[in-house]
Amino acid sequence: MPVAELLRLGTARTIVRWGTPVLHRPARPVTDYGDDLQELLADMFATNRAAEGAGLAAAQIGVDLAVFIYDCSDETGRRRTGVVCNPECDLPEVGERRLVSYDEGCLSLPGAFVELARPDVATCRGYDQYGEPVTLTGGGTFGRCLQHETDHINGTVFGDRLSARSRKQLYRRFDAVAAEYPAAWPVTSDSPLSVEMPSVADAGSGRGI
């Protein structure tokens, strides 16, 4: 299904929180690119939009599958939107990489941000929603999203990359806003939340991934 259709369809689902086992183990590879996957992807885009995120891994809605979606801007301000199944993330060699520090957040620990240094550019290889090979390279929010979401596929949350001090600071910030994010967030009623096609507004920095 084309990305434009995936963006138009779908129903927002509840985002699971850190501590849920599916977020802390490697995901199963995608092997079937049929209707079930397309429905999942549409729901992931809808959930990401409802949460005002920059990207979302399947594990974040409780699905043990190695796929993520992204909808954010790169270092040039260009909107990047799509799907990566079975991702592998390549980073510049240590002597060639430039680290950039800025606040990072996660939709599975909503509303809390803390500074984290990551390489300013990343390359992600995998497969699109049709099972065709894709290679994506970028910086800015997009480059950080590629790294953050591939971490999710591997069972790593960004808190695992923080020092003990920064991790405690992150949890304190989450505790301060936790009441704003009920257990079913971003679904806001007893009924699933259907989400229409998003605007072209950037889902950039300052939003969870």
Side-chain angles (χ1 to χ4, degrees):
M1 190 181 299
V3 169
E5 285 296 296
L6 294 173
L7 284 165
R8 186 177 63 83
L9 304 173
T11 300
R13 303 192 196 183
T14 295
I15 294 176
V16 301
R17 305 294 170 87
W18 289 7
T20 305
V22 70
L23 289 173
H24 303 282
R25 62 176 184 246
R28 294 183 298 109
V30 175
T31 57
D32 185 345
Y33 293 84
D35 291 345
D36 287 347
L37 178 65
Q38 307 308 308
E39 180 179 348
L40 171 65
L41 295 173
D43 286 357
M44 289 170 66
F45 275 112
T47 304
N48 186 62
R49 185 190 177 209
E52 298 186 340
L56 189 79
Q60 292 181 269
I61 56 171
V63 178
D64 178 23
L65 207 58
V67 56
F68 70 81
I69 60 93
Y70 57 90
D71 187 358
C72 54
S73 65
D74 62 18
E75 71 277 18
T76 70
R78 172 190 170 198
R79 183 184 181 185
R80 307 287 291 266
T81 308
V83 174
V84 185
C85 300
N86 305 332
E88 295 183 3
C89 197
D90 299 328
L91 302 175
E93 296 295 330
V94 173
E96 300 175 357
R97 70 179 57 173
R98 185 173 73 93
L99 296 179
V100 176
S101 295
Y102 60 76
D103 281 356
E104 186 164 327
C106 181
L107 296 179
S108 291
L109 196 75
F113 300 84
V114 74
E115 192 172 271
L116 175 66
R118 289 190 188 265
D120 65 335
V121 66
T123 295
C124 190
R125 307 176 195 279
Y127 300 87
D128 66 12
Q129 67 270 33
Y130 303 109
E132 297 296 324
V134 292
T135 299
L136 305 164
T137 298
T141 301
F142 178 58
R144 186 159 291 239
C145 181
L146 295 178
Q147 296 173 65
H148 182 113
E149 299 302 347
T150 301
D151 275 353
H152 273 308
I153 301 306
N154 294 323
T156 298
V157 297
F158 90 92
D160 297 334
R161 297 189 175 276
L162 298 172
S163 67
R165 181 178 180 179
S166 292
R167 194 177 307 116
K168 288 179 181 178
Q169 182 181 51
L170 179 68
Y171 281 123
R172 285 197 300 269
R173 291 177 177 177
F174 173 68
D175 288 342
V177 299
E180 300 175 25
Y181 299 93
W185 183 83
V187 178
T188 56
S189 69
D190 293 335
S191 301
L193 176 64
S194 295
V195 180
E196 298 301 324
M197 183 168 180
S199 70
V200 296
D202 173 38
S205 60
R207 296 185 176 183
I209 309 175

